[in-house]
Amino acid sequence: MEGGPKPDPAYLRAFRAFVKASANNDAFVSRAPRFDAIQAHRICTDLRDDCPLQAACLPNARRLSNSERSPIDSRARQREASEEIMTSLWALMAGRWLNFGKMIVSPAHEQLLASCMHEHVSVIKEKRRVLDLGGAPVADWGWHCAVDYPKVKVYTVTERSAKSTNASPMSPTNTSLKPLPRCQGPKNHRHLAVERLYRLPFPDNHFDVVSARTLFLTLKCSTPLDSTLDEYDRCLGECMRVLKPGGYFEYQVFDSDVINAGPLAAELFARFSAALEASGRDPEPTKRWITRSTKDVAAVGGLLGGWVWEKWLRSASIVDAETVGNIIEEARECGSGLRSLCGYARKPSQL
């Protein structure tokens, strides 16, 4: 077996410290300061995707091993990791609060909890597995799920980038098979990189839950020459294939346009929509459903929606942090919003 550096534990330690210190209602109670903090971060500095811990991400940079690092160095490293993942954790906690404190919103939540309740069982129980399709591999939904359901195996599957990247390991755009730095995660979590999200390396009837919340960042709606189905249909077919009979498919999609848009957002949407269409992606995956929320809930939803929308903008490489910051500020004044569709479906127990 080849030797190599041990996985960096700083992100996992920072993640666990955040989760331990978090209360169920933090996303709501702290909605305003967190929203303002992320907005200030957008305006004053580049987002963490543009300013990762570059020394740790460069192939030729030597990082201290765990044995070489002093306790002070380890604490400093954990603080750096905590600062890098904090804003995305706030967005995830906002999503959890909007889903009534759960990462999995379907009835599978109760099934997975029940499978984790007993320490000792006299019979072999069916293995429970969750697929996080297209999520970020570090300190994201998959880690939360692994912590919430410690006896469930959670797989985060990302699409391998055609070109190398020095993006932060928390970013959905960092889909390298060997993310730099290599991060230690929960014991029941695995990250796999594949060529295409609609070609999964799993057997039929394998997962109890498939969660797809960011497919619109990657999939194209154009139909390739060798198929009659576009990437969305092919990916949904794969999700159906790997789901166990009676398993649950959970999804969330966003439209790229802004409701009640101000002039800045309206101008940006025209460019954003054109860029998505030029790359074969659908700028408006759904227009069928939109929530009506109170002002307080809208602040929590805005934290999550604004973060996802910004990620999508950056995947099209047409906007900088300052522009996004100005538009978010304008959106708050205009009462702007985003359309999002989320829900779940169940695979029939018998076909």
Side-chain angles (χ1 to χ4, degrees), residues 120-343:
H120 304 285
V121 292
S122 56
V123 295
I124 298 177
K125 300 177 67 175
E126 181 182 8
K127 291 184 179 180
R128 300 292 186 180
R129 305 180 186 89
V130 171
L131 174 60
D132 172 25
L133 188 60
V138 177
D140 199 72
W141 188 92
W143 280 23
H144 277 279
C145 196
V147 171
D148 285 356
Y149 314 106
K151 294 187 179 180
V152 175
K153 195 67 169 288
V154 180
Y155 295 83
T156 295
V157 174
T158 58
E159 193 167 283
R160 187 179 297 118
S161 176
K163 57 184 179 181
S164 60
T165 177
N166 63 353
S168 162
M170 280 67 63
S171 168
T173 62
N174 183 13
T175 53
S176 168
L177 183 60
K178 294 182 179 180
L180 297 170
R182 184 177 170 219
C183 301
Q184 178 182 338
K187 293 182 178 180
N188 58 324
H189 177 267
R190 295 291 182 273
H191 170 225
L192 298 176
V194 297
E195 293 297 332
R196 294 289 183 267
L197 294 181
Y198 50 83
R199 297 172 186 161
L200 300 176
F202 302 109
D204 296 353
N205 308 321
H206 196 62
F207 291 98
D208 298 271
V209 178
V210 174
S211 177
R213 305 165 314 283
T214 57
L215 295 182
F216 53 89
L217 296 175
T218 305
L219 297 182
K220 296 181 178 181
C221 57
S222 55
T223 303
L225 296 177
D226 61 344
S227 176
T228 60
L229 302 175
D230 66 14
E231 293 186 359
Y232 277 94
D233 288 336
R234 297 172 75 176
C235 188
L236 290 175
E238 275 291 88
C239 291
M240 176 66 75
R241 180 184 68 79
V242 300
L243 266 178
K244 295 178 181 178
Y248 289 91
F249 173 64
E250 300 190 2
Y251 58 88
Q252 184 170 25
V253 292
F254 281 84
D255 282 348
S256 61
D257 63 327
V258 177
I259 303 167
N260 298 329
L264 288 175
E267 187 276 333
L268 176 62
F269 169 67
R271 292 191 290 125
F272 185 26
S273 178
L276 290 173
E277 290 178 349
S279 64
R281 289 181 284 174
D282 188 356
E284 299 172 325
T286 175
K287 283 188 174 181
R288 300 177 60 183
W289 182 86
I290 183 171
T291 58
R292 296 181 180 270
S293 59
T294 67
K295 182 178 180 181
D296 288 338
V297 175
V300 185
L303 194 156
L304 173 63
W307 184 261
V308 174
W309 189 66
E310 182 174 5
K311 289 289 187 186
W312 203 7
L313 282 167
R314 288 179 171 275
S315 74
S317 302
I318 65 166
V319 73
D320 55 34
E322 182 178 1
T323 301
V324 173
N326 292 337
I327 291 174
I328 293 291
E329 196 63 36
E330 175 192 81
R332 178 154 52 175
E333 295 176 359
C334 296
S336 305
L338 297 165
R339 272 188 295 270
S340 171
L341 175 67
C342 59

Side-chain angles (χ1 to χ4, degrees), residues 46-163:
D46 290 334
L47 284 178
R48 59 179 173 78
D49 280 356
D50 295 328
C51 292
L53 305 178
Q54 295 288 355
C57 294
L58 294 175
N60 296 327
R62 181 181 182 274
R63 299 174 58 244
L64 294 176
S65 67
N66 294 333
S67 60
E68 295 174 310
R69 194 176 286 131
S70 70
I72 296 178
D73 291 334
S74 297
R75 288 195 294 269
R77 176 76 184 106
Q78 183 174 331
R79 283 196 300 271
E80 290 177 336
S82 178
E83 291 173 358
E84 191 175 351
I85 66 178
M86 187 62 66
T87 50
S88 62
L89 289 177
W90 287 349
L92 281 168
M93 296 304 285
R96 178 192 282 270
W97 185 86
L98 291 169
N99 290 328
F100 304 99
K102 298 185 293 185
M103 301 306 295
I104 291 178
V105 299
S106 68
H109 169 71
E110 286 74 21
Q111 298 173 4
L112 298 179
L113 281 182
S115 69
C116 299
M117 288 180 61
H118 303 291
E119 291 292 332
H120 304 285
V121 292
S122 56
V123 295
I124 298 177
K125 300 177 67 175
E126 181 182 8
K127 291 184 179 180
R128 300 292 186 180
R129 305 180 186 89
V130 171
L131 174 60
D132 172 25
L133 188 60
V138 177
D140 199 72
W141 188 92
W143 280 23
H144 277 279
C145 196
V147 171
D148 285 356
Y149 314 106
K151 294 187 179 180
V152 175
K153 195 67 169 288
V154 180
Y155 295 83
T156 295
V157 174
T158 58
E159 193 167 283
R160 187 179 297 118
S161 176
K163 57 184 179 181

